[in-house]
Amino acid sequence: MAERLLSQLVATWTQQTEVGFILGDPDAPTETRLIPDPATGVTFRLRWLPHRELRTDPHELERRGILNPERDEDLLFRDPRDPSGLHCFLCPQNIAICHPAEALVPVRAGGREWLAGANFAWLAHNHFTVLTVDHVDQVFDRSVLAAMLEIHAETSGQFRVVFNGAYAGATIPWHLHLHATTDAFPIEDLTPGREVDYPAPLRVFPDTAEGEVVRYVSRWEERDPEHHRVNVLVAPWHGRAAVFVILRDTRARNAAAKGLMGGWEVAGDFAYSEKRKQFEAADLATVRGALAEITPPAVRDEKE
Ligand SMILES: [Zn+2]
């Protein structure tokens, strides 16, 4: 079982690259800046990924065969709560209409049916968006954590799994989704015991502490349901699987020196596709400052 999902996902990524569904060349070397942080043992990673800019250019996506130029906009499902009026990018039936070349891998995890599709505007190697078959809200609960842990375990610990809270990295709050990638995150090198020195509020739990993680997240969200969210990462940590939880607040979703701070950034991985000067100028103080800037007001108040 363990190897099957891993090989299916890797084979799908390769196939999607070969047919031109993946922007840029994920196999080419990526311009990378590494910034070691002696306080935590983490080496922050900054990467220049200009291909991501193409994701907002429908004509270029159509030209490349990524977006179907003959899609019937009237057939697309739109969540009535979405003020933009755009269709849901994550509904499988919308994907079939808009991106017929996209291959979706069925995944059963956490008692739910999911589909994993290669992210054409990838942030990492083997970067998949794992979305629920059903159009349900982006809410973290026990079944979502179980799904994350199962996907990690069923890929022999190769795929890291990310959950971004709504408006805390996730820009589509109406369709439950995860991200998965085989690239290691900088935060995996965090020295045990140094969690308090990480610039964003972080707790790390063993993969066996499912109940504790769920209670910790619920307590945080219940304190201020309107604003309190989390980023959650399941990844290897010093030889075993761990659950990294970063406390977030929808009022502190951006950092001046980076922009939107999502699951990648809070795990120490800063991707730039524009703002070349920011990419070149960032140093340890910039990165730590950006992570400290998204500290929720409630956590900030407790520290003072
Ligand atoms: Zn949807």
Side-chain angles (χ1 to χ4, degrees), residues 71 75-79 86-100 135:
R71 65 192 178 282
L75 296 179
L76 300 176
F77 170 74
R78 293 165 166 80
D79 191 298
L86 291 170
H87 67 273
C88 178
F89 295 127
L90 300 176
C91 273
Q93 59 273 36
N94 288 354
I95 292 173
I97 293 167
C98 294
H99 308 290
H135 182 84

Side-chain angles (χ1 to χ4, degrees), residues 22-259:
I22 305 296
L23 292 170
D25 177 3
D27 298 321
T30 298
E31 193 179 348
T32 303
R33 298 189 53 223
L34 297 174
I35 302 179
D37 177 25
T40 58
V42 172
T43 298
F44 293 115
R45 181 170 61 209
L46 284 60
R47 290 175 305 137
W48 180 245
L49 300 171
H51 67 267
R52 285 179 50 77
E53 284 306 293
L54 298 172
R55 74 190 187 281
T56 56
D57 183 346
H59 297 295
E60 185 57 22
L61 295 178
E62 286 176 0
R63 195 187 66 76
R64 291 169 181 244
I66 294 172
L67 179 60
N68 176 15
E70 269 133 46
R71 65 192 178 282
D72 184 346
E73 293 274 343
D74 294 338
L75 296 179
L76 300 176
F77 170 74
R78 293 165 166 80
D79 191 298
R81 295 168 292 176
D82 188 346
S84 74
L86 291 170
H87 67 273
C88 178
F89 295 127
L90 300 176
C91 273
Q93 59 273 36
N94 288 354
I95 292 173
I97 293 167
C98 294
H99 308 290
E102 180 166 349
L104 293 171
V105 178
V107 180
R108 182 159 179 86
R112 263 206 189 90
E113 303 296 334
W114 306 74
L115 295 165
N119 192 324
F120 59 78
W122 52 278
L123 281 162
H125 294 94
N126 299 306
H127 178 183
F128 284 82
T129 304
V130 186
L131 46 96
T132 42
V133 168
D134 299 322
H135 182 84
V136 294
D137 286 357
Q138 180 78 346
V139 174
F140 185 83
D141 61 17
R142 180 177 284 269
S143 72
V144 171
L145 178 61
M148 296 173 75
L149 290 165
E150 282 174 34
I151 292 167
H152 183 69
E154 288 181 13
T155 55
S156 304
Q158 296 291 301
F159 272 86
R160 283 76 174 157
V161 188
V162 175
F163 171 89
N164 288 327
Y167 306 110
T171 51
I172 305 173
W174 300 292
H175 197 126
L176 182 56
H177 62 288
L178 308 167
H179 292 271
T181 172
T182 52
D183 280 0
F185 283 97
I187 205 170
E188 293 173 29
D189 290 330
L190 178 84
T191 307
R194 292 292 183 87
E195 291 90 326
V196 290
D197 297 313
Y198 200 70
L202 167 69
R203 282 270 307 265
V204 191
F205 299 85
D207 62 341
T208 48
E210 271 183 74
E212 209 184 324
V213 172
V214 171
R215 280 191 297 279
Y216 178 68
V217 173
S218 311
R219 270 201 304 273
W220 171 250
E221 292 186 338
E222 281 162 13
R223 270 175 70 181
D224 185 348
E226 194 187 343
H227 300 114
H228 284 186
R229 300 287 185 274
V230 286
N231 298 119
V232 181
L233 165 68
V234 172
W237 193 43
H238 301 279
R240 61 174 303 174
V243 184
F244 298 76
V245 180
I246 292 102
L247 302 182
R248 300 294 306 270
D249 187 300
T250 58
R251 293 164 295 186
R253 67 181 90 160
N254 295 309
K258 181 60 181 77

